[in-house]
Structures are given as structure tokens and as C-alpha cells.
Amino acid sequence: MDDRVKVFERAKELLLDHDMMGFANLWAVDGTLEFPFAPAGRPRLLEGREAVRAYVRDYADHIDLRAVAHQVVHRTEDPEVLIVEFSMDAVAVSSGRPLRPSYIAVITVRNGEIASYRDYWNPLMLSEVGFGAEEDRTHD
């Protein structure tokens, strides 16, 4: 298994364990997390591991990720880049309602750390899980 797949597999384990600080620690100190489809009031770009930590610190208070429902891994010709399509079985913590969020992630891994993670998620999920606009924690 190459580094980029190992890092993604570890990221999934940490998410399912609700270890959000462990998840954030996968980022390089200067790594980025980008949300190209983020709606107004939500961050589009997080720069650096500390910004990722601040963003994910209370994620599990809103959404309880329980299992990977579907996954397709695409290894690219670039040995650092991985594209993954996946969905998770989850529960909205505030309502107890079951969810199945879907993602497409473009991940660049260098030296065993995430250098860049572009997260193409569905922003309509926000209303299901009770996330508010958190401009004070992140920036556009």
C-alpha cells in the first residue's frame, strides 16, 4: 500500500474513532484543507495544521460518523495525489436522524502527511447536522 492510500485509510480510522485531533495531525504543518463548494459564510480554505485543528475540533459534536458505506479509490499518475469517492453512514447528533454524507476528496500526500486536501462535499448537509456559520474560527 502506498503512502497516499495509507494516509487516507488512517484518516478514515480516526474519523470513525471520533479522534478529530488525530485526524488534524495528519496534515503537514503548512498543509491546506479546501472546500471548493462551500456556501457563503463557510470557509473555503484552511491554511496550516492549526487551522484544520480549530475547524474539526467539535465536528463529532454535530455528526456521528459510524461506517464507510461506499468507497472508490483512484490512484493517479502523480505518486502524491489520490482521488477518493466515499460515503459514510452517520447520525446527526442534534436530531438523531440517520445521514449518508458523500464526498469526493483530492488528496496530496508528501512525506506521509497531507499537503493538500480538497473536499468536494455537499453543503446541503449543513442544515441536517446543525452547523452554523463559524466565521470567527476560519476564513474564506
Side-chain angles (χ1 to χ4, degrees), residues 57-72:
R57 73 176 174 246
D58 63 353
Y59 186 87
D61 294 341
H62 301 283
I63 185 166
D64 177 7
L65 299 173
R66 300 206 169 161
V68 176
H70 170 76
Q71 173 180 300
V72 179

Side-chain angles (χ1 to χ4, degrees), residues 38-44 46 54-55 57-58 62 121 123 125-127 129-140:
R42 300 293 302 174
R44 293 193 184 275
L46 304 173
Y55 180 77
R57 73 176 174 246
D58 63 353
H62 301 283
W121 60 284
M125 183 181 74
L126 290 173
S127 64
V129 297
F131 283 119
E134 301 167 80
E135 297 93 348
D136 58 322
R137 290 182 32 201
T138 55
H139 59 80
D140 283 309

Side-chain angles (χ1 to χ4, degrees), residues 2-8 74-84 105-118:
D2 66 32
D3 268 0
R4 55 199 170 159
V5 175
K6 285 180 191 175
V7 169
F8 175 70
H74 304 278
R75 290 174 176 85
T76 68
E77 290 184 18
D78 183 330
E80 295 182 334
V81 177
L82 186 70
I83 300 170
V84 184
V106 180
I107 307 165
T108 301
V109 174
R110 289 191 192 107
N111 302 317
E113 296 180 312
I114 297 172
S116 170
Y117 190 116
R118 279 183 310 210

Side-chain angles (χ1 to χ4, degrees), residues 44-59:
R44 293 193 184 275
L45 178 65
L46 304 173
E47 296 178 287
R49 183 185 300 145
E50 291 305 318
V52 174
R53 280 185 183 141
Y55 180 77
V56 302
R57 73 176 174 246
D58 63 353
Y59 186 87

Side-chain angles (χ1 to χ4, degrees), residues 4-38:
R4 55 199 170 159
V5 175
K6 285 180 191 175
V7 169
F8 175 70
E9 290 298 322
R10 183 68 181 138
K12 285 189 318 185
E13 289 172 15
L14 292 164
L15 288 170
L16 291 171
D17 287 344
H18 305 119
D19 182 352
M20 301 315 294
M21 291 305 98
F23 177 72
N25 287 337
L26 294 174
W27 263 256
V29 170
D30 61 348
T32 60
L33 175 53
E34 184 178 355
F35 305 100
F37 296 147

